[in-house]
């Protein structure tokens, strides 16, 4: 081939106007050499294309690694191997294959689609968990801890009140136990001092029944002896009285015997002094008058009738003797406290501390499981990038394999074709009819169009559960915080326990018994005044309220999900732009096919739309309810919703609308749709009279690619 011819052909190609807006912008903003490199023919600049592609692909792979792989909790060796693999794949792919370059750039619009939302969903769940869910969990744990602390505080206060109330009694017993040795020593002294009295009471000295003389004295002595022999059947009082009487009798008998011995001694002395036999007997006769000694018996009667023994001496002696005997034993005292525990629930015998610890352990285990699940979900959602990559390659394959795939855009080349046909005087498509506009997309429109709206609404409905979860958790967190904060401010209790007593026992006298009582009962002389005060401030819940920044951080991923749903339509428009940049010839074929298909549909528009038009006309012919007519006349604000609509494009009826004049038809058409119908009503015109075409509406029409 002649090189000049090739150069002229290349110049002619360069003189052609750009077919896309991207070509216009790059042609205007870049030098001619860059523009020629970007739209080079296959086989041109191979080395430069490979080096630039390999470098760009390697850098993009490193950025992708830092964004997705590096945050994962995997071994460093695995991260290094993954980095090498990504860099190698990116460099080779970008250097050799336009499909890989196109698919790599399609990651950006795909991230704005449902695959990208799935990736963002992991961050949204993590933000919700770390925000209101974590705060809700913390506040619930505070309430559990507050309940446990309150119960323990009640138990401790009851225990403290019991200890304070029994402290004086325990102090008395401790004092008695502390003075045990001194009491034992004093008791021994008392016992040794009491031995003399006991020996005196138990002694049998002072009387000898056998020495009693005379019949009366002998009988009395015998009775007394029998009484002494049977003293264990008598009380101490009777026993001591009998012993006293015997001692009185013994004293009288000794006096009589002494008197008689005196008379005998004097008679003997008298007989020795007087030597005259007869005279000494006469003169010594008075020394024989021993009967005068019997006068002492009168003292015995007086002694028995006036015994110096008190009436309660025996009882007092017995009591004192028993007390002295008891003092000889060990002095000890013990205090036994018996605590009865009742089960809170039937069949359950566990303490509140055990229940509280079990509840805390259960909450911690649930938190650990939830955190593990969220971590696994985060890893899985990080792997959704593979789904995004797969969707990108799938779009490239479908774009090059199926000519109807995502071929519904009124592009710049489409407008150029229509303009060229207009100059040649051929039938054109622009401007499109109202019914046709609902099936195509204008890429430069800043609003979401009818074809995109259904997909956007569906994506918004899929995002609704996560938004409801966020709102419910935020509302529940705020409500519980308000409740717990109110409890904290209005549930303050102060416990005050006051105990005072003064016990004083006064024992008068200087006797041994009085001294003993002062030693024992005197220990009860105690006085105390105790004040125990406490409050439940440490047990009140301390709820935490999330600030506006925390709620904002938790809401940002969810808001990003909603934003991605709205931006999805514009992002999906970008897919075709990227594919057009890498496959311009394929885009020309797709645009030509789409234009020709619309031309065929335009030719058969009336027949294709006849079924829908007839259905709408029948609905309009149905009589309306009287209430609808009344509201239409009386409420001007409701007329836009109550007016009849065009059977073709569903536009509201206006004064310029055309109403079919055929009786019982009255189908409403807007002026443009009536012109498109060639001023013939499909609802009342037979099918054979309408324009026909070999093309029929099928399921193979171009559709919006998701």
């Amino acid at each position: 081939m002649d090189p000049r011819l090739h150069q002229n052909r290349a110049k002619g190609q360069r003189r052609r106007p750009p077919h896309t807006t991207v070509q216009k912008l790059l042609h205007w903003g870049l030098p001619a050499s860059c523009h020629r490199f970007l739209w080079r023919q296959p086989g041109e600049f191979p080395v430069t294309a490979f080096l630039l592609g390999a470098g760009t692909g390697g850098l993009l792979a490193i950025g992708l690694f830092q964004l997705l792989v590096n945050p994962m909790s995997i071994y460093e060796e695995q991260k290094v191997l993954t980095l090498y693999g990504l860099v190698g794949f990116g460099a080779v792919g970008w250097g050799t294959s336009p499909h890989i370059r196109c698919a790599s750039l399609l990651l950006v619009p795909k991230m704005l689609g449902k695959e990208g939302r799935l990736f963002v969903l992991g961050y949204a769940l993590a933000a919700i968990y770390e925000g209101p869910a974590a705060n809700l969990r913390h506040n619930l744990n505070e309430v559990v801890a507050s309940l446990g602390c309150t119960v323990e505080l009640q138990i401790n206060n009851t225990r403290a009140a019991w200890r304070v109330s029994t402290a004086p009694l325990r102090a008395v017993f401790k004092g008695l136990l502390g003075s045990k040795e001194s009491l034992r020593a004093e008791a021994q002294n008392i016992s040794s001092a009491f031995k003399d009295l006991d020996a005196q009471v138990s002694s049998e000295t002072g009387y000898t029944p056998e020495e009693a003389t005379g019949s009366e004295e002998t009988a009395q002595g015998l009775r007394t002896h029998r009484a002494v022999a049977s003293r264990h059947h008598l009380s101490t009082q009777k026993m001591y009285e009998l012993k006293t009487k015997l001692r009185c009798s013994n004293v009288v008998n000794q006096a009589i015997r002494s008197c008689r011995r005196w008379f005998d001694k004097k008679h003997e002395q008298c007989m020795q002094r007087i030597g005259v036999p007869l005279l000494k007997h006469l003169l010594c006769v008075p020394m024989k008058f021993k009967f005068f000694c019997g006068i002492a018996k009168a003292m015995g009667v007086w002694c028995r009738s006036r015994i110096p023994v008190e009436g309660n001496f025996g009882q007092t002696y017995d009591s004192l003797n028993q007390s002295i005997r008891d003092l000889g034993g060990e002095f000890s005292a013990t205090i036994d406290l018996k605590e009865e525990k009742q089960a809170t629930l039937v069949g359950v015998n566990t303490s509140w501390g055990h229940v509280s610890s079990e509840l805390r352990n259960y909450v911690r285990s649930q938190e650990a499981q939830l955190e593990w699940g969220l971590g696994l979900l985060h890893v899985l959602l990080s792997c959704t990038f593979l789904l995004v990559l797969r969707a990108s390659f799938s779009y490239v394959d479908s774009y090059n394999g199926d000519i109807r795939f995502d071929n519904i855009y009124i592009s710049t080349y489409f407008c150029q074709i229509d303009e060229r046909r207009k100059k040649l005087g051929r039938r054109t498509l622009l401007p499109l009819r109202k019914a046709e506009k609902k099936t195509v997309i204008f890429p430069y429109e800043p609003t979401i169009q009818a074809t995109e709206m259904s997909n956007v609404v569906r994506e918004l409905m899929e995002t609704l559960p996560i938004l409801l979860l966020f709102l419910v958790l935020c509302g529940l967190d705020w409500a519980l915080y308000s409740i717990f904060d109110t409890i904290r401010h209005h549930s303050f209790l102060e416990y005050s326990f006051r105990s005072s007593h003064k016990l004083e026992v006064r024992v008068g006298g200087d006797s041994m018994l009085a001294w003993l009582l002062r030693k024992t009962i005197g220990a009860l002389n105690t006085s105390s005044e105790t004040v125990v005060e406490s409050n439940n401030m440490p047990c009140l819940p301390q709820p935490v309220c999330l600030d506006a920044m925390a709620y904002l951080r938790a809401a940002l991923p969810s808001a990003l999900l909603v934003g991605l749903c709205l931006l999805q339509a514009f992002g999906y428009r970008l897919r075709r732009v990227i594919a057009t940049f890498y496959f311009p010839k394929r885009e020309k074929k797709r645009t030509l096919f789409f234009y020709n298909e619309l031309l065929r549909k335009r030719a058969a528009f009336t027949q294709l739309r006849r079924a829908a038009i007839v259905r709408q006309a029948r609905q309009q012919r149905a009589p309306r309810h009287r209430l609808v007519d009344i509201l239409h006349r009386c409420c001007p604000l409701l007329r836009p919703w109550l007016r009849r609509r065009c059977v073709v494009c569903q536009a509201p009826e206006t004064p310029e609308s055309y109403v079919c004049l055929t009786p019982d038809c009255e189908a409403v058409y807007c002026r443009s749709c009536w012109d498109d119908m060639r001023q013939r009503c499909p609802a009342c015109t037979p099918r054979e009279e309408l324009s026909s075409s070999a093309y029929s509406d099928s399921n193979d029409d171009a559709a919006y690619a998701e």
Side-chain angles (χ1 to χ4, degrees):
M1 180 181 290
D2 189 2
R4 295 181 180 179
L5 181 61
H6 178 72
Q7 292 177 2
N8 293 332
R9 186 177 300 174
K11 290 180 180 179
Q13 291 178 355
R14 287 195 295 269
R15 292 193 188 99
R16 292 179 182 178
H19 298 306
T20 62
T21 305
V22 176
Q23 286 183 350
K24 291 180 181 179
L25 294 176
L26 294 178
H27 185 74
W28 173 77
L30 294 178
S33 58
C34 295
H35 184 268
R36 188 169 61 255
F37 174 78
L38 291 177
W39 275 272
R40 65 188 179 275
Q41 296 297 324
E44 291 183 342
F45 313 109
V47 178
T48 305
F50 178 79
L51 293 179
L52 290 178
T56 305
L59 292 177
L60 291 178
I62 293 174
L64 192 63
F65 171 82
Q66 294 293 334
L67 180 64
L68 299 177
V69 181
N70 197 30
M72 292 184 179
S73 299
I74 58 178
Y75 295 106
E76 292 296 329
E77 294 80 2
Q78 297 176 352
K79 289 184 179 180
V80 172
L81 293 177
T82 305
L83 176 61
Y84 289 160
L86 287 176
V87 172
F89 177 77
V92 174
W94 269 72
T96 58
S97 175
H99 288 75
I100 294 179
R101 290 195 291 268
C102 181
S104 300
L105 292 182
L106 283 175
L107 292 176
V108 176
K110 281 296 182 180
M111 288 298 293
L112 299 178
K114 57 183 179 182
E115 294 85 0
R117 288 196 306 275
L118 186 62
F119 180 75
V120 177
L121 180 63
Y123 293 96
L125 292 177
I128 292 174
Y129 175 75
E130 294 175 359
N135 191 60
L136 183 63
R137 178 197 65 196
H138 175 270
N139 291 338
L140 290 177
N141 289 339
E142 282 291 326
V143 172
V144 172
S146 175
L147 292 177
C149 180
T150 301
V151 174
E152 292 178 1
L153 181 64
Q154 294 287 347
I155 296 174
N156 293 335
N157 289 337
T158 304
R159 187 183 295 113
W162 168 255
R163 288 178 178 176
V164 170
S165 60
T166 58
L169 182 62
R170 287 186 284 109
V172 168
F173 281 103
K174 286 182 180 179
L176 291 177
L177 292 175
S179 58
K180 180 175 66 175
E181 297 299 331
S182 60
L183 285 176
R184 183 182 290 112
E186 296 295 337
Q188 290 178 357
N189 295 334
I190 293 173
S191 298
S192 61
F194 184 75
K195 287 180 180 179
D196 297 337
L197 178 61
D198 185 59
Q200 182 179 355
V201 173
S202 302
S203 176
E204 294 183 358
T205 59
Y207 64 91
T208 304
E210 291 79 3
E211 295 180 358
T213 58
S215 61
E216 182 180 359
E217 295 175 357
T218 303
Q220 183 180 5
L222 290 174
R223 289 194 301 269
T224 303
H225 181 71
R226 294 190 189 96
V228 173
S230 61
R231 61 182 178 273
H232 57 275
H233 298 291
L234 299 177
S235 63
T236 304
Q237 180 74 21
K238 296 293 185 179
M239 191 69 188
Y240 194 72
E241 288 180 356
L242 289 176
K243 287 184 179 182
T244 304
K245 289 178 181 180
L246 288 175
R247 288 189 178 92
C248 289
S249 299
N250 187 29
V251 169
V252 171
N253 292 333
Q254 287 182 358
I256 292 173
R257 287 194 297 271
S258 178
C259 177
R260 287 178 179 179
R261 285 195 301 270
W262 184 81
F263 272 99
D264 291 338
K265 182 179 180 180
K266 293 301 181 180
H267 182 266
E268 183 179 357
Q269 290 178 356
C270 181
M271 292 296 291
Q272 290 177 0
R273 287 289 183 93
I274 300 174
V276 180
L278 183 61
L279 184 61
K280 63 178 180 180
H281 288 286
L282 291 174
L283 292 176
C284 293
V285 168
M287 300 302 164
K288 290 286 187 178
F289 295 164
K290 296 181 180 180
F291 60 89
F292 287 106
C293 293
I295 298 174
K297 293 182 179 180
M299 297 299 297
V301 176
W302 177 84
C303 180
R304 284 191 298 271
S305 61
R306 291 177 175 81
I307 298 175
V309 179
E310 298 292 334
N312 60 346
F313 172 78
Q315 183 179 0
T316 303
Y317 174 80
D318 291 338
S319 300
L320 184 60
N321 189 20
Q322 184 64 32
S323 300
I324 296 300
R325 191 178 297 110
D326 293 338
L327 286 175
E330 291 290 335
F331 181 79
S332 63
T334 57
I335 302 176
D336 295 331
L337 300 177
K338 184 178 181 181
E339 180 182 1
E340 295 184 359
K341 295 183 179 180
Q342 297 181 354
T344 306
L345 301 176
V346 177
V348 180
N349 189 16
T350 56
S351 62
W352 171 256
H354 178 70
V355 174
S356 179
S357 62
E358 288 290 334
L359 183 59
R360 291 193 185 97
N361 294 334
Y362 176 75
V363 172
R364 293 193 186 98
S365 64
Q366 293 298 319
E367 291 176 1
Q369 293 179 1
L370 182 59
E371 290 179 357
W372 181 83
L374 287 176
L376 179 61
L377 179 63
H378 187 71
V379 172
L380 293 178
L381 292 177
S382 298
C383 296
T384 55
F385 175 76
L386 299 177
L387 298 178
V388 179
L389 189 62
R390 178 182 176 276
S392 300
F393 279 97
S394 176
Y395 184 88
V396 174
D397 294 339
S398 299
Y399 182 86
N400 290 283
D402 187 4
I403 199 169
R404 296 180 183 275
F405 177 76
D406 201 22
N407 194 6
I408 54 175
Y409 296 93
I410 307 300
S411 61
T412 303
Y413 188 56
F414 187 96
C415 297
Q416 290 176 357
I417 294 174
D418 192 79
E419 184 67 25
R420 187 166 59 247
R421 290 177 62 86
K422 185 177 181 180
K423 290 180 180 179
L424 296 175
R426 298 179 181 178
R427 186 158 52 94
T428 60
L429 294 175
L430 298 178
L432 297 177
R433 297 171 180 176
K434 290 185 178 180
E436 293 173 339
K437 290 181 180 179
K438 295 181 179 180
T439 60
V440 299
I441 296 176
F442 293 88
Y444 306 109
E445 289 291 333
T447 59
I448 300 175
Q449 301 173 40
T451 307
E452 301 167 328
M453 184 58 70
S454 59
N455 190 47
V456 170
V457 172
R458 184 173 64 253
E459 300 297 340
L460 287 175
M461 294 301 295
E462 293 177 357
T463 311
L464 188 60
I466 192 69
L467 295 178
L468 291 178
L469 176 63
F470 173 73
L471 293 177
V472 167
L473 288 179
C474 289
L476 186 61
D477 176 64
W478 180 83
L480 290 180
Y481 168 76
S482 301
I483 294 173
F484 297 156
D485 188 66
T486 303
I487 293 174
R488 183 171 66 89
H489 285 90
H490 297 85
S491 298
F492 176 75
L493 296 177
E494 187 173 2
Y495 303 91
S496 179
F497 180 79
R498 299 177 181 271
S499 174
S500 61
H501 84 281
K502 183 177 182 181
L503 179 62
E504 185 176 2
V505 180
R506 294 183 179 181
V507 180
D510 298 330
S511 63
M512 177 183 64
L513 185 60
W515 179 86
L516 183 61
L517 290 177
R518 280 195 293 268
K519 273 294 196 180
T520 55
I521 301 178
L524 299 176
N525 295 336
T526 58
S527 62
S528 65
E529 182 174 358
T530 306
V531 178
V532 178
E533 293 183 354
S534 64
N535 55 63
N536 65 340
M537 180 61 72
C539 294
L540 291 178
Q542 303 292 331
V544 177
C545 179
L546 291 179
D547 54 1
M549 187 59 64
Y551 282 115
L552 181 61
R553 287 194 299 268
L556 279 178
S558 301
L560 182 59
L561 283 176
V562 178
L564 289 178
C565 292
L566 300 177
L567 294 176
Q568 173 180 320
F570 305 99
Y572 278 7
R573 297 178 192 178
L574 187 60
R575 298 178 302 178
R576 186 195 61 85
V577 176
I578 297 174
T580 301
F581 179 81
Y582 283 100
F583 307 102
K585 292 184 179 181
R586 180 64 179 176
E587 179 62 21
K588 289 182 180 181
K589 293 180 182 179
R590 289 165 55 88
T591 306
L592 287 172
F593 176 83
F594 182 51
Y595 192 91
N596 294 328
E597 186 178 21
L598 284 182
L599 283 175
R600 290 191 295 270
K601 286 186 177 182
R602 175 71 64 84
F605 180 79
T606 304
Q607 190 170 2
L608 293 175
R609 294 288 299 173
R610 185 178 185 278
I613 293 171
V614 171
R615 184 171 59 253
Q616 294 294 333
R618 288 176 181 175
Q619 293 179 359
Q620 288 186 2
R621 283 199 300 267
R624 295 196 302 181
H625 198 275
R626 290 184 58 189
L627 180 61
V628 178
D629 294 333
I630 294 174
L631 293 175
H632 185 271
R633 291 193 305 268
C634 300
C635 300
L637 296 177
L638 297 179
R639 288 176 185 174
W641 289 274
L642 299 177
R643 288 181 296 180
R644 294 181 297 179
R645 295 180 177 272
C646 175
V647 295
V648 180
C649 65
Q650 298 298 310
E653 183 182 5
T654 61
E656 292 79 13
S657 299
Y658 177 81
V659 181
C660 182
L661 301 178
T662 304
D664 298 332
C665 181
E666 299 180 356
V668 178
Y669 298 89
C670 60
R671 183 56 59 181
S672 60
C673 291
W674 180 249
D675 295 337
D676 293 336
M677 295 294 105
R678 298 178 183 178
Q679 298 183 355
R680 299 185 68 179
C681 179
C684 57
T685 303
R687 175 183 288 271
E688 59 271 7
E689 297 181 9
L690 297 174
S691 60
S692 61
S693 174
Y695 177 78
S696 62
D697 194 7
S698 64
N699 294 328
D700 296 332
D701 294 341
Y704 182 70
E706 297 181 4

